[in-house]
Amino acid sequence: MPTDILCLGEPMLEFNQQPGGSYLPGHGGDTSNCAISAARQGARVGYLTHIGADTFGNSFMELWAGEGIDTSTVRQVADAHTGVYFVTHGPNGHEFSYLRAGSASSRMRPEDLPQDALKATRILHVSGISQGISATAADTVFAAIENVRSAGGKVSYDTNLRLKLWPLPRARAVIHAAMAQCDIALPGLDDARQLTGLEKPDDIADFYLRLGAGIVALTLGEEGTLVATGDERRRIRGRRVKAVDATAAGDTFDGAFLARLVAGDDPFAAARYANAAAALSTQGYGAVAPIPRAAAVEAFLNEDDA
């Protein structure tokens, strides 16, 4: 079916460290988290990937079905596994350890892409991780971007820089090349500083606007988001909560931001909403469970306005 948002990338089973030292199993993967966030805000969402024909892959199919996400573009393969990662928590925040080499998603190729689904979506969402998992995955993302844009759709890109996946010079070259073809740039401040060599948020926003994005939403952590277009820019303040785990806060922001854009919000209103959703997502452990639904986000915003 046609989708508002089609997310492409690698879903991964998550094992998240709890305060007592045990690990809570769950689901993760940046673009999968984004898809769930967008679906919980009411958007029509699809997911595009390859996963293993294994227990972990089956659990993702059940998860997405329960969230109302279209899985017609998900392929389960028998000769590769679904990726896994572990989240540990320490003085420096959360850290990730990955078991993803040779995963089903990393073996995707441009010829595997479902052309009709790409041409029917309003927004394709991809990330630096979508491209960093393998050279063929990087090529697949570029081909998907070309197919969507040729049909009049838009492309959203989150830098999500992971230097465990690739060296900075290659990441910089590939991500800049992809960003030059995107409409909605969703960089994080720390990532963008490494990728661009710039320090000031306004300079970074200008950099991505010059590359070609029509909307830049630069996330600044607790400080909120700098939203810039060719005509206007504003800092949208962050929302203060008692955070316990920021594992998927950026992904939650992405999904909520895109969902509000397709619902008709301007990018500034969309960022206000997405900041609230991201803040709420940090109040629980794991990537998926704490992602809020629309009613909770609206209630939080109403409290703030009272």
Side-chain angles (χ1 to χ4, degrees):
M1 70 175 185
T3 56
D4 295 323
I5 303 161
L6 181 62
C7 299
L8 189 166
E10 180 172 40
M12 303 187 75
L13 198 79
E14 172 192 88
F15 291 93
N16 199 301
Q17 187 182 39
Q18 302 300 287
S22 61
Y23 284 83
L24 178 70
H27 298 89
D30 64 335
T31 56
S32 176
N33 298 335
C34 173
I36 292 167
S37 175
R40 289 185 181 180
Q41 313 319 311
R44 296 178 304 163
V45 182
Y47 201 69
L48 169 54
T49 194
H50 287 184
I51 52 177
D54 50 31
T55 300
F56 293 164
N58 293 340
S59 72
F60 270 105
M61 295 299 284
E62 294 170 3
L63 169 70
W64 293 324
E67 298 291 342
I69 293 171
D70 181 2
T71 58
S72 62
T73 54
V74 176
R75 178 181 167 194
Q76 289 191 268
V77 299
D79 61 347
H81 65 278
T82 304
V84 176
Y85 74 98
F86 296 82
V87 185
T88 55
H89 304 274
N92 297 320
H94 56 284
E95 298 183 6
F96 298 86
S97 300
Y98 299 96
L99 298 174
R100 74 194 322 164
S103 68
S105 300
S106 71
R107 297 185 183 187
M108 287 188 70
R109 303 166 299 171
E111 53 266 37
D112 297 324
L113 289 170
Q115 307 294 330
D116 291 345
L118 289 166
K119 291 177 179 178
T121 194
R122 294 175 62 184
I123 298 176
L124 171 71
H125 177 72
V126 290
S127 76
I129 295 175
S130 303
Q131 295 196 285
I133 54 177
S134 71
T136 57
D139 291 343
T140 300
V141 170
F142 280 124
I145 289 171
E146 182 179 354
N147 288 331
V148 168
R149 298 196 80 193
S150 68
K154 296 186 181 299
V155 176
S156 163
Y157 197 105
D158 186 325
T159 49
N160 259 356
L161 180 64
R162 297 290 185 271
L163 294 179
K164 291 182 179 180
L165 290 175
W166 48 1
L168 182 58
R170 173 166 169 77
R172 181 181 289 124
V174 172
I175 290 173
H176 285 355
M179 278 287 204
Q181 302 175 60
C182 84
D183 304 279
I184 304 162
L186 300 173
L189 182 59
D190 291 341
D191 289 357
R193 283 173 168 164
Q194 293 184 78
L195 290 165
T196 68
L198 301 169
E199 285 294 320
K200 296 180 180 179
D202 282 300
D203 292 341
I204 292 168
D206 289 338
F207 177 89
Y208 288 114
L209 288 172
R210 284 195 299 270
L211 277 184
I215 298 170
V216 177
L218 175 65
T219 50
L220 309 172
E222 292 183 353
E223 299 305 313
T225 305
L226 173 63
V227 179
T229 69
D231 301 318
E232 186 178 0
R233 69 184 58 196
R234 299 182 206 165
R235 285 209 184 204
I236 311 300
R237 68 178 179 86
R239 305 282 162 166
R240 303 290 180 177
V241 296
K242 186 176 181 180
V244 297
D245 181 9
T247 297
D251 307 331
T252 299
F253 177 93
D254 291 351
F257 184 76
L258 297 175
R260 293 314 308 166
L261 286 182
V262 298
D265 283 1
D266 66 44
F268 308 104
R272 176 178 178 271
Y273 183 98
N275 280 350
L280 289 173
S281 76
T282 68
Q283 294 185 297
Y285 286 98
V288 170
I291 295 174
R293 299 186 184 274
V297 181
E298 294 289 356
F300 185 41
L301 288 169
N302 290 336
E303 286 177 12
D304 191 65
D305 291 338

